[in-house]
Each structure stands twice: as C-alpha cells, then as structure tokens.
Amino acid sequence: MTPLALEALEQALALDGSQDRSQNLNASAPGGGGELSTRPGDLRAVLVTVQQVQGSAPREEGAWMAVFTDRLINTLGGGHLEFSAIAVARQWLAGALAGRADASVNGMFSPAGGAPTDGLPFTRRFALGPSLGQCCGGVVELRFEPLQGPLSEALRERLRPRGAPVALFGGGHVGKALVRVLATLPLDVRWVDSRDEIFPPEVPGHVHCEHSDPVQAAVADLAPGSRVLIMSFSHAEDLDIVQACLKRQRQRADLPFIGLIGSRTKWATFNRRLRERGFSAQECAQVTCPIGLPGIPGKQPEVIAVAVAAQLLQEGARGMQPAP
C-alpha cells in the first residue's frame, strides 16, 4: 500500500460522514471513534484485506482495498480476484444501506448466492485458477469488514504502511521531484535542508521536513537503517554530509545506503578530500556516486528522481524491505 492510499481513505470517510452525519448522530457504535461496526446505519464502506496467501498471488498479506458504492481506494492487484472481491463487498454494501434483512449480522447473503451468511466481518478463500480466470496458481484468503469513519487509531495503525526510513538532504529541483516519486512508495522520508524556506507548503503525510543549520547536524539522529540521499545546493554541504555519514558508520554502522548525486569527477574529488581527512578507502567505498539505476539516460529532475527511486527499490530486494 502507498501512504497516499490511507490519506485518500480517511478523506473519503470524512466526506461521506459529513454528508449524512445528521442521520447518524445516534447510530454510532459504543465507544465511537471509528471502530468496526456491523450496524447498517454506521456503514461507510467495506474493507477487504489479504489475510493469507498460499503460493503465487497478485498482492502480499496485509494489502487492502476499500470498496464504496461509487469508488475504490487502493488495490488487491486487479484481475478477477479484485473483481470478485468488489462484487462481494458491494452486494453486502447495497443490502446494508437499504436496511434489508439479508444484510444483517445473522443473514448477510442467501446460501444460494454462495456467500457467507454470518455477516461482517468474514473471510473467504479464492483459488487463483481457471474458475476465477487467473493462472497465478495460489490461494488467497480475503477478510471483509465494515468501515465507519473516522478511522480509529488502532485501525489506522493497522493500515499504515511500514516504510523503510529514507533521509533526503536537499530541497532543490531534483529533491522536489524525488519527493513526488517517493510519495507513492512505502517509504518514510525525512527531508532536510539548511534553507528553511525551500520546502513546499504541503507535503505527503509520510514526508517530514526539517530545517537544519548546519545541515550535517541532522545525520546524528537519523533513524537506524536510514537510506541517505545527498543532493544539497552546495558541494561544500554535500561533503560535510558525506563526512558526517561516514563518521556515524564508524560508530554505529547502521546506514545501509549512502548515495551522493554527482558525476564520477565529483566523486573523485570528494574521495580524495575524504582520504585527506582520515577516512580509509574501505570507508569511502560505502558511498554510492553517481546515484540512480544505471542505464537510464537523461538529466531532467524527473528522470533522475525515477532512476534514484528505482535504485532504492532495487536495494530493497537486497535487504531494505519494510518491516512487517
């Protein structure tokens, strides 16, 4: 799931809630606060979650999709699995909003329809074979549960993506383009610059802006496991940040990726200066420069941003996957 999907879900629930709040003032579940409810009057949408996967499947366990009467938020991977899940959710949703008995807790669907009869939440297994029009070959168990808004903190925490930490130093053209790309990925971004006015007025919820002067001072308290991207407006600042990262590596060795924007010529100069400041060749080898997935041509900020994001994802396959 992308961080933006959770934001979109909360906005949709808030919008639906504002439209009919007067009809539901007395219908909220005990305790309120967006807890799951099986009361039709409280219903906003149906949350469909991948609860278990056996074999090959379009999405991983924990992936989710919110099904409204008129929209979808997030995805289970598309195809017939998602189509079938939408049909099941909307069949329940239509009955619940109409107040029909077949959408009640004890009689959600008729047995003839092949759907569960014990109300929400419930689980259903889908074999990804010829009968479903898919050839993945695996089996997916989906959990269907009703949503009312706003989300409770427990549910928000459950749906929130577990993003690997990324520290981005530099708010220039490439930095801004990179933040737009990273906004769609399950990463927790700390965006640092020595110029306080450089940040845009609005950023995604998982991007945290920080003014730091001197800029390299922010390195000391980066989250362990942070992937560092260095692209400040100044070569002098870049060098100071790289040096701070290498010093931290000496002490903690907890920055698995240190990437520096620039050419091979720039890195040759930096490497020489770092060696003069007492860093060994092995320590300097921890820095990746140039950055970006090799083989992607172009120097436009957006092209560089895509190449760098792709490199982060490639590094993820080597051990930087978000924690479950």
Side-chain angles (χ1 to χ4, degrees):
M1 181 197 82
T2 69
L4 295 180
L6 181 56
E7 295 179 19
L9 175 59
E10 295 199 275
Q11 291 171 4
L13 290 172
L15 177 62
D16 283 6
S18 66
Q19 292 175 343
D20 61 1
R21 186 175 292 113
S22 62
Q23 301 176 21
N24 291 293
L25 287 177
N26 299 318
S28 57
E35 298 298 329
L36 295 179
S37 168
T38 53
R39 296 175 60 179
D42 295 332
L43 189 66
R44 298 279 184 268
V46 174
L47 177 66
V48 187
T49 307
V50 178
Q51 183 161 289
Q52 187 176 37
V53 172
Q54 298 175 1
S56 179
R59 290 296 305 272
E60 70 286 355
E61 292 179 4
W64 60 268
M65 173 179 65
V67 182
F68 291 75
T69 57
D70 59 349
R71 80 200 89 165
L72 303 172
I73 295 177
N74 218 15
T75 178
L76 300 182
H80 285 277
L81 172 65
E82 183 168 299
F83 181 81
S84 298
I86 294 169
V88 171
R90 283 188 169 155
Q91 184 179 352
W92 193 94
L93 191 59
L97 293 179
R100 295 200 305 265
D102 63 354
S104 66
V105 175
N106 294 318
M108 188 177 72
F109 292 114
S110 64
T117 59
D118 55 351
L120 293 180
F122 70 90
T123 61
R124 184 171 179 182
R125 290 168 61 85
F126 294 83
L128 306 181
S131 63
L132 201 60
Q134 294 190 230
C135 55
C136 299
V139 176
V140 176
E141 184 175 281
L142 299 180
R143 176 180 172 86
F144 295 78
E145 51 193 320
L147 282 175
Q148 69 175 89
L151 298 178
S152 68
E153 184 56 39
L155 185 54
R156 185 183 298 110
E157 182 64 23
R158 190 183 110 197
L159 299 181
R160 182 178 292 121
R162 299 296 183 265
V166 172
L168 172 59
F169 287 86
H173 295 299
V174 177
K176 288 183 172 67
L178 185 56
V179 163
R180 289 194 291 270
V181 175
L182 298 182
T184 65
L185 301 175
L187 300 169
D188 188 18
V189 182
R190 183 174 174 181
W191 194 9
V192 186
D193 201 291
S194 61
R195 303 163 294 173
D196 192 24
E197 73 284 356
I198 200 68
F199 301 114
E202 295 185 4
V203 296
H206 69 300
V207 176
H208 314 282
C209 300
E210 178 180 337
H211 170 241
S212 179
D213 190 11
V215 67
Q216 69 272 18
V219 172
D221 63 345
L222 294 179
S226 291
R227 281 75 191 175
V228 182
L229 301 171
I230 304 166
M231 50 187 71
S232 80
F233 72 95
S234 160
H235 280 205
E237 280 199 352
D238 284 351
L239 184 59
D240 288 340
I241 298 166
V242 171
Q243 178 173 304
C245 289
L246 293 182
K247 285 183 176 179
R248 173 164 169 159
Q249 288 295 82
R250 281 181 176 177
Q251 300 169 351
R252 310 186 212 175
D254 63 351
L255 302 176
F257 183 83
I258 303 171
L260 171 67
I261 197 169
S263 64
R264 290 181 176 85
T265 301
K266 175 181 177 179
W267 175 241
T269 301
F270 273 41
N271 187 60
R272 185 181 69 252
R273 292 178 179 174
L274 291 166
R275 295 295 301 277
E276 291 171 354
R277 297 182 185 187
F279 293 98
S280 67
Q282 184 177 4
E283 288 177 310
C284 292
Q286 297 175 82
V287 180
T288 298
C289 181
I291 53 174
L293 201 64
I296 299 179
K299 295 185 177 181
Q300 300 95 326
E302 294 76 13
V303 173
I304 297 172
V306 169
V308 172
Q311 186 175 40
L312 288 179
L313 294 176
Q314 188 179 65
E315 290 295 319
R318 298 169 183 161
M320 61 171 279
Q321 294 288 356

